[in-house]
Amino acid sequence: MAEGIGYAILGRIGQNLVAPIGRQFGYLFCFNTNIQNLETQLDSLKVTREGVQLGVDETRNNVRTVGPHLEAWLTKANANTAEAETIINDKAQVQKGCFNGWCPNLKLRYSQGRKAVKKTQELALLHAEGSNYIQSSYNPPPLRIEPISRTTEFQGFDSRILVMNVIIEALKDDGIPLIGICGMGGMGKTTMAKEVPNRTKNLFNEFPMAVVSQEPNLKQVQSCIAEMLGLQLDMENPIVRSSRLRERLLQNDKKILVILDDIWEEFDLEELGFPLEGGSNKNCKILFTSRNQNLWKGIQNKRYIQLQVLVGEEPWHLFRQKVGDCADDLDLLPLAKQIVNECGGLPLALVTIGRALTNEHNQCHWNNALQQLRAPCSESLSSEVPAKVYQALYFSYNFLKDEKAKKLFLHCCLFPEDNDISIEHLVRYGIGLRWFEGIDKVDEIRDRVNVLVDQLKSCYLLLDGHFEGCIKMHDVVRDVAISIAAKDKHGFMIIHGAKLREWPKKVTYELNTSISVISNEIVEFPGGSRCLKLEFLLIVCQNSSLNIPSNFFEGMGELKVLDLSITTYISLLPSSLQFLSNLLTLYLDFCQKFDNISIIGKLLNLEILSFRFSNIEELPEEIGGLVNLKLLDLTKCDQLKRIAPGVISALVQLQELYMDGCGIIWEREGKEGGENASLREFESLSNLNTLEINIKDVVCLPRIPLFSKLTK
């Protein structure tokens, strides 16, 4: 028995000796495996560290304090990551050994193998700890200004390089917190401002930018800057909003350049949360663009930088780049030189007329352009828009060969200044205004509109918007478009502005064909106004005191397109809406629920109906009477719970149906006397070719061929 106990003790001693010896040999002979394990664990830790860093960044962006445990973990993770990378990078030296690899360096191999094993264990512990600090999701990172291609918009001209150098020197001066780029419309101030981030990445960490415009919404400017900084500025109290924004702009670990574009009148920067402490503030500076160089006279430490016209050979080089090789034709070269001279070095005029004449070899068109530039300009545009810019833009507009392109261009000025314009809106407006007679398919009209948009963009009359599927107008181009609409008697009435407190009063509205009224201050609309020629009406007014008389639409019998964003605070649509017998396109986006939504069913000629992001709860059976409806948009109507049975199947002309994000729960099989529509109703829609619908709650689809060819 004693002998057995002895053997057991010796066995345990042997095991205790073998394990450490085996581990030591493992450092030596399993070197490659140890390094591979370290690399795998390092990759896992990096993913964890990235997740923790996202949370830390979000916390700091929102001016909250990061917990000391997170700071300590990140410090330790960064240090261990660097040590692990050093061990991995030394792998080649270990494998090289002596005598060109014939004799391995056993001592170094053992040492590095041991380090790899130890470090792998440390990384595993860090990874496990860091996993507790990771959330499932984070807010998206701050937005960045899209860079301007230096080969197209920002030219390497001496006059522009000189201005850029002056701007950079001013930005380097800690005593100058406010810098303005000033000049007439069409000089390229915005382009210059957007180029600054590309040239000053070594000076600043972040470059938030907002467009202020002629009728500024300063709360929206705050929100735009905050969004680009990753700051959630959802509080309503103006003092709290400004204080939070100010804290974010003065964070010690960030250097921030705020860019405010297109300022017309000065406002209290400090009150809005934009700090201007001069020499004591080295973290935040403000760069703005304006046609007015007399802003903020009371601020001592500021710098205004004037952007002048192009000089010397610069105008020719810019024009030549836009117009192409045709300018080199012997017959056209003299005309091209004269056109450049007439443009007076104004970049927007040179670019616009150059693009209009691109690859144009007909001498008559060049003569016409020169004559229009030389003609006296009697247009009463603001003094900040040079006559030559107006004439160049008017020529580009007049040179458009497609009348539909002209109509589309002019309708873009009905939207607010600096506003992103949805191309899809233009498609649906165009259907209602009958721009494309003879084309019945919605998708074919959409293709035509996109072609027209490309034509206008190629002439510099339209620009890419900030978001996909959107376009925008340069503010000077919009001014000219409004002037053209008035000059050519198109019957446009455009009344926009935060200061507009009452419906515009006119002797008569009988000549107006298109009216755009945008203001959140209007409290009452007129009733029964005679608008006998009115075909297009766009109204945006979100006012809790808004009063809309029931007879508001009585004198608008010819109305074809109605975009009515006035519905946030009302529960009843004006009863006179039902008498708009010629209405073809109706937008009621972002509206509340209506108690009388069924009156829309009386608009029997309606072809486009949109309720996007609205709070309607039911699509009543009267909607089934819209037998001419081609497009129904219920996107993100998450309160929609019921569609009356038979409504969908009655819309026999429907080509496009958008219901993604709706709250509706479909019945897979139709039930006799059921309370809701079923998927069976789609079976009768032979014209339907576009369907966006949420059917995730349906166990299985009915055997309808339609579903096999549509995106579900």
Side-chain angles (χ1 to χ4, degrees), residues 429-443:
Y429 290 169
I431 292 172
L433 293 171
R434 288 294 186 257
W435 289 346
F436 306 96
E437 290 286 356
I439 303 178
D440 186 60
K441 299 293 185 182
V442 174
D443 55 351

Side-chain angles (χ1 to χ4, degrees), residues 649-666:
S649 58
L651 304 176
V652 292
Q653 297 297 325
L654 201 64
Q655 299 176 22
E656 299 186 1
L657 176 60
Y658 301 91
M659 300 188 66
D660 188 42
C662 283
I664 189 75
I665 298 177
W666 297 93

Side-chain angles (χ1 to χ4, degrees), residues 5 62 80 84 394 566 634:
I5 294 173
N62 283 280
N80 277 269
Y394 185 75
I566 61 174
L634 298 166

Side-chain angles (χ1 to χ4, degrees), residues 119-355:
K119 188 56 63 180
T120 300
Q121 295 169 351
E122 292 175 11
L123 297 189
L125 291 174
L126 278 170
H127 169 67
E129 181 184 354
S131 298
N132 297 323
Y133 306 144
I134 297 178
Q135 300 172 203
S136 58
S137 63
Y138 299 94
N139 290 322
L143 299 172
R144 299 187 182 277
I145 299 174
E146 290 295 325
I148 297 290
S149 172
R150 298 180 187 176
T151 59
T152 55
E153 302 302 336
F154 184 80
Q155 304 297 329
F157 298 142
D158 290 342
S159 64
R160 293 312 187 247
I161 292 173
L162 178 62
V163 172
M164 180 60 72
N165 290 339
V166 174
I167 293 171
I168 292 174
E169 288 305 311
L171 291 172
K172 289 179 179 178
D173 190 334
D174 291 335
I176 303 177
L178 184 65
I179 300 154
I181 305 174
C182 302
M184 294 185 298
M187 285 293 178
K189 300 183 295 294
T190 300
T191 300
M192 180 70 73
K194 285 187 175 182
E195 180 62 21
V196 168
N198 294 331
R199 307 295 179 103
T200 57
K201 291 178 180 177
N202 60 326
L203 299 178
F204 299 95
N205 305 108
E206 296 174 293
F207 301 89
M209 182 175 183
V211 178
V212 180
S213 75
Q214 192 168 1
E215 296 286 348
N217 181 334
L218 296 179
K219 182 179 178 182
Q220 187 174 331
V221 170
Q222 282 182 316
S223 298
C224 185
I225 294 296
E227 185 178 3
M228 295 191 75
L229 292 170
L231 171 65
Q232 297 180 30
L233 206 64
D234 50 5
M235 62 288 296
E236 288 298 322
N237 187 307
I239 298 176
V240 176
R241 284 173 61 87
S242 299
S243 176
R244 184 65 58 84
L245 179 59
R246 179 186 175 84
E247 283 185 70
R248 176 66 174 87
L249 291 172
L250 290 177
Q251 281 183 337
N252 291 329
D253 60 338
K254 302 283 188 180
K255 294 202 71 174
I256 300 172
L257 177 62
V258 176
I259 301 175
L260 300 176
D261 186 35
D262 193 24
I263 295 178
W264 288 70
E265 296 179 356
E266 67 178 66
F267 48 87
D268 194 328
L269 290 164
E270 290 277 3
E271 186 177 323
L272 282 178
F274 298 110
L276 289 172
E277 289 97 340
S280 63
N281 170 29
K282 298 181 181 180
N283 290 334
C284 178
K285 288 181 178 289
I286 297 173
L287 177 71
F288 70 89
T289 72
S290 179
R291 303 182 194 180
N292 184 356
Q293 61 177 358
N294 295 313
L295 300 175
W296 292 296
K297 288 184 176 181
I299 297 176
Q300 298 298 320
N301 300 319
K302 62 181 181 295
R303 180 73 181 274
Y304 292 150
I305 299 165
Q306 194 73 19
L307 195 60
Q308 304 284 3
V309 297
L310 298 176
V311 296
E313 291 297 312
E314 293 174 349
W316 170 253
H317 290 311
L318 178 58
F319 178 80
R320 173 63 180 73
Q321 183 188 47
K322 300 304 177 185
V323 79
D325 296 339
C326 59
D328 298 331
D329 291 357
L330 294 179
D331 293 336
L332 299 180
L333 184 58
L335 291 170
K337 291 287 187 179
Q338 293 177 70
I339 287 173
V340 169
N341 289 336
E342 289 296 328
C343 287
L346 294 162
L348 184 58
L350 290 161
V351 168
T352 304
I353 204 163
R355 288 190 174 178

